[in-house]
Amino acid sequence: GAVVSQHPSRVICKSGTSVKIECRSLDFQATTMFWYRQFPKKSLMLMATSNEGSKATYEQGVEKDKFLINHASLTLSTLTVTSAHPEDSSFYICSARDGITNEKLFFGSGTQLSVL
Amino acid sequence: AQKITQTQPGMFVQEKEAVTLDCTYDTSDPSYGLFWYKQPSSGEMIFLIYQGSYDQQNATEGRYSLNFQKARKSANLVISASQLGDSAMYFCAMREGSNAGNMLTFGGGTRLMVKP
């Protein structure tokens, strides 16, 4: 089946630094990728929709300048948390749609971000 | 109003027994898709089953079946012959519209615990 690789799986950083999270579709082309944020024991909250070659569409309440999303190719989308603060600590997970079996969304394994 | 509601924050089931996880949804779009995902403690999201709004029959995938009651707007997940490895968070999700690239909206999740 389709595979989505997300890296890193865990990152600890100091407050004020920036962190980049990569999401790759390994065996299919993903024109659309989604970025979610999940707090402990909570549901997934959509942050933004990433479209290849165009600007991401952010959900209400998500700061565009804080969470930079780039989707430069059909297999790679990145989320950069800029000037991270402790309140940005969370579990971030990406997903991508396989254009062939398009009813399924495949998810990355997630990234646990801890900001000290 | 909540688009996806999972009323059971936690459920216990005895190993080898069947369990039903509830999900109700709210949409005015005649075309939509309903999904169930499993999230073990590792955080990854595992696709379980999909039901399209125009599908005549309830979806089944191995031990998973979806009890789709369109008039009631419910899409309950039934897991038969529970196994210890089924212990996880389970999320119901909906995609509105016929475009498979549309985002998913998730319910709050149900934590299933299988007792030996």
Side-chain angles (χ1 to χ4, degrees):
Chain A
V3 177
V4 174
S5 173
Q6 187 172 340
H7 178 80
S9 58
R10 184 178 296 271
V11 59
I12 302 171
C13 69
K14 291 183 179 180
S15 185
T17 60
S18 294
V19 174
K20 180 183 282 189
I21 303 170
E22 292 188 349
C23 182
R24 293 179 185 275
S25 56
L26 297 185
D27 52 0
F28 66 97
Q29 293 183 331
T31 55
T32 305
M33 289 187 176
F34 303 92
W35 286 95
Y36 294 86
R37 180 173 179 175
Q38 184 179 31
F39 295 96
K41 298 183 180 179
K42 297 285 187 181
S43 187
L44 291 167
M45 301 300 295
L46 180 68
M47 297 175 66
T49 303
S50 167
N51 295 296
E52 186 267 338
S54 64
K55 291 183 179 180
T57 303
Y58 289 81
E59 294 301 301
Q60 192 173 8
V62 178
E63 298 176 60
K64 300 178 183 180
D65 296 331
K66 175 76 172 172
F67 300 99
L68 299 178
I69 291 173
N70 183 277
H71 195 157
S73 76
L74 286 171
T75 59
L76 174 64
S77 176
T78 61
L79 166 67
T80 301
V81 182
T82 62
S83 187
H85 284 211
E87 56 264 32
D88 299 326
S89 298
S90 192
F91 187 74
Y92 296 86
I93 194 165
C94 69
S95 70
R97 177 177 64 89
D98 179 353
I100 297 175
T101 55
N102 59 11
E103 299 303 350
K104 298 180 183 180
L105 266 185
F106 294 91
F107 285 80
S109 53
T111 298
Q112 182 64 53
L113 172 64
S114 299
V115 184
L116 304 178
Chain B
Q2 292 282 341
K3 284 187 174 288
I4 295 283
T5 303
Q6 293 180 253
T7 58
Q8 308 150 314
M11 289 277 289
F12 282 97
V13 64
Q14 196 68 40
E15 191 179 8
K16 299 181 183 178
E17 292 186 350
V19 62
T20 298
L21 306 184
D22 295 340
C23 173
T24 57
Y25 59 92
D26 183 28
T27 181
S28 58
D29 198 314
S31 179
Y32 53 89
L34 297 159
F35 302 76
W36 276 93
Y37 284 86
K38 173 184 178 181
Q39 187 181 45
S41 56
S42 59
E44 62 186 308
M45 294 286 283
I46 303 167
F47 169 81
L48 296 179
I49 198 165
Y50 167 80
Q51 180 86 41
S53 59
Y54 295 118
D55 293 343
Q56 294 295 316
Q57 294 187 328
N58 286 347
T60 60
E61 292 277 357
R63 294 188 297 113
Y64 305 107
S65 61
L66 201 151
N67 184 2
F68 182 45
Q69 298 190 38
K70 198 169 183 176
R72 293 185 178 183
K73 292 189 175 179
S74 75
N76 298 340
L77 175 70
V78 180
I79 305 175
S80 62
S82 298
Q83 301 172 357
L84 295 178
D86 294 335
S87 295
M89 282 289 289
Y90 289 81
F91 291 99
C92 178
M94 175 174 66
R95 184 194 66 233
E96 293 178 279
S98 57
N99 184 350
N102 291 348
M103 67 178 189
L104 289 183
T105 303
F106 285 84
T110 296
R111 180 169 295 280
L112 177 66
M113 291 151 282
V114 181
K115 298 185 290 184

